[in-house]
Amino acid sequence: MIDNLPPLREVIATHDLRAKKQLGQNFLLDLNLTHKIARQAGDLTGCDVLEVGPGPGGLTRGLLACGARHVLAIEKDPRALPALEQIAEAYPGRLTVITGDALQIDPLAYLTPPIRVAANLPYNVGTELLIRWLTPRDWPPFWQSLTLMFQREVAERIVARPGSKAYGRLALLAQWRADAQIVMSLPPEAFVPAPKVHSAVVHLTALPQPRFPADAAILSQITGAGFNQRRKMLRASLKGLHPEIEALLDSVGIPPTARAEEIELERFCALARALQAARQG
């Protein structure tokens, strides 16, 4: 036990919190595991934490037990509110619960820096939320770190290296502005109901500035065109970006016959700078 609250199975039974597939819910009921995930977020003392999709509150309890100054929990399912209110009473003044869609709510209205994000994200919105957190208008972002549960396949895409099957836009987006690593793996039977896939926790630490200079919009254009047609050579997939794309590829050391999955982040950033200069010139 990490606190004096009831076990999660009892909480779910009391409040009839059966997971809903349409909400992407899979609950972790082992408080030892949720506490371990909370510890992966680092030292939470003096930090506010944003949690999306707390459900019955297993990770919420872990974050509070690990010393989080304040947790903002955004939950779409109103059935979970009584269970979360019980946690709020056990940790007076340290938990704020908002009912609603995390894609529609501005968490900064409720949080004070330094801020970390920790969540067992609902499967149906997890990737979209990650992309939003990685692509704010200004950098560095509002968060110091992200500690997030995903399907194992998505986690592997975030940390993938060039040449691997999982390497693509998500890896470039994450690794351009953050250090990313998989810190935990979880089997399907750790969840209720058990999903058909394995899960993994990814920890991302925001860099003070992007790893290599590049215009975010142009980098997005290049990687979008390259990976949307990943089996094509870059001279073909990128030809719509500039009439002299082959010369630009050559100028930054990228063979025009290469495919996007073969090119490392630094070269993509160099191409973004070259393309920006060519358009301005």
Side-chain angles (χ1 to χ4, degrees):
M1 295 295 293
I2 60 171
D3 49 38
N4 293 320
L5 293 166
L8 286 174
R9 286 188 186 277
E10 186 179 317
V11 171
I12 286 174
T14 300
H15 301 292
D16 193 23
L17 273 174
R18 286 165 294 185
K20 286 188 175 181
K21 187 175 182 180
Q22 64 266 38
L23 293 177
Q25 292 174 330
N26 296 89
F27 297 146
L28 265 177
L29 301 188
D30 185 337
L31 285 169
N32 289 321
L33 271 179
T34 59
H35 196 217
K36 186 176 180 182
I37 294 167
R39 290 200 302 270
Q40 300 300 324
D43 183 4
L44 299 179
T45 309
C47 291
D48 280 11
V49 179
L50 169 62
E51 183 187 9
V52 175
L59 180 57
T60 315
R61 288 163 66 173
L63 294 167
L64 290 163
C66 283
R69 177 177 62 194
H70 179 238
V71 174
L72 171 66
I74 301 176
E75 177 54 62
K76 195 172 185 178
D77 187 354
R79 298 177 307 150
L81 295 183
L84 295 170
E85 286 167 5
Q86 196 173 9
I87 299 170
E89 290 170 6
Y91 292 93
R94 293 175 59 200
L95 174 61
T96 299
V97 181
I98 297 177
T99 313
D101 186 342
L103 295 170
Q104 307 295 328
I105 293 170
D106 177 13
L108 294 183
Y110 306 89
L111 296 168
T112 303
I115 299 165
R116 301 187 182 216
V117 180
N120 172 14
L121 290 174
Y123 280 170
N124 53 0
V125 296
T127 304
E128 184 173 354
L129 281 169
L130 173 62
I131 290 171
R132 287 193 181 194
W133 290 329
L134 288 170
T135 55
R137 186 179 61 185
D138 300 313
W139 196 268
F142 74 84
W143 50 271
Q144 287 185 336
S145 68
L146 309 172
T147 306
L148 306 172
M149 176 102 64
F150 293 101
Q151 297 178 40
R152 177 85 195 186
E153 179 188 352
V154 176
E156 289 173 347
R157 285 167 51 205
I158 294 168
V159 302
R161 293 290 181 254
S164 67
K165 191 176 179 180
Y167 184 64
R169 293 186 74 189
L170 195 55
L172 287 160
L173 195 61
Q175 296 169 35
W176 183 44
R177 287 173 156 174
D179 285 326
Q181 59 179 322
I182 293 176
V183 293
M184 277 181 69
S185 295
L186 294 98
E189 53 268 26
F191 299 85
V192 175
K196 295 179 181 178
V197 296
H198 283 68
S199 300
V201 178
V202 182
H203 183 74
L204 300 102
T205 305
L207 297 171
Q209 57 190 19
R211 204 174 297 278
F212 306 105
D215 179 87
I218 294 175
L219 184 62
S220 179
Q221 276 188 332
I222 292 170
T223 55
F227 284 103
N228 286 345
Q229 305 177 74
R230 62 187 297 143
R231 299 312 305 152
K232 284 190 174 183
M233 297 177 184
L234 286 171
R235 68 185 180 194
S237 61
L238 302 184
K239 65 181 180 182
L241 299 183
H242 194 275
E244 302 296 327
I245 195 63
E246 283 200 47
L248 292 174
L249 287 163
D250 274 327
S251 74
V252 297
I254 298 176
T257 55
R259 293 177 173 84
E261 63 197 34
E262 302 166 3
I263 307 304
E264 71 274 18
L265 171 63
E266 185 174 6
R267 292 292 179 199
F268 272 119
C269 290
L271 180 59
R273 296 193 300 273
L275 180 56
Q276 183 178 22
R279 287 173 172 175
Q280 292 172 345

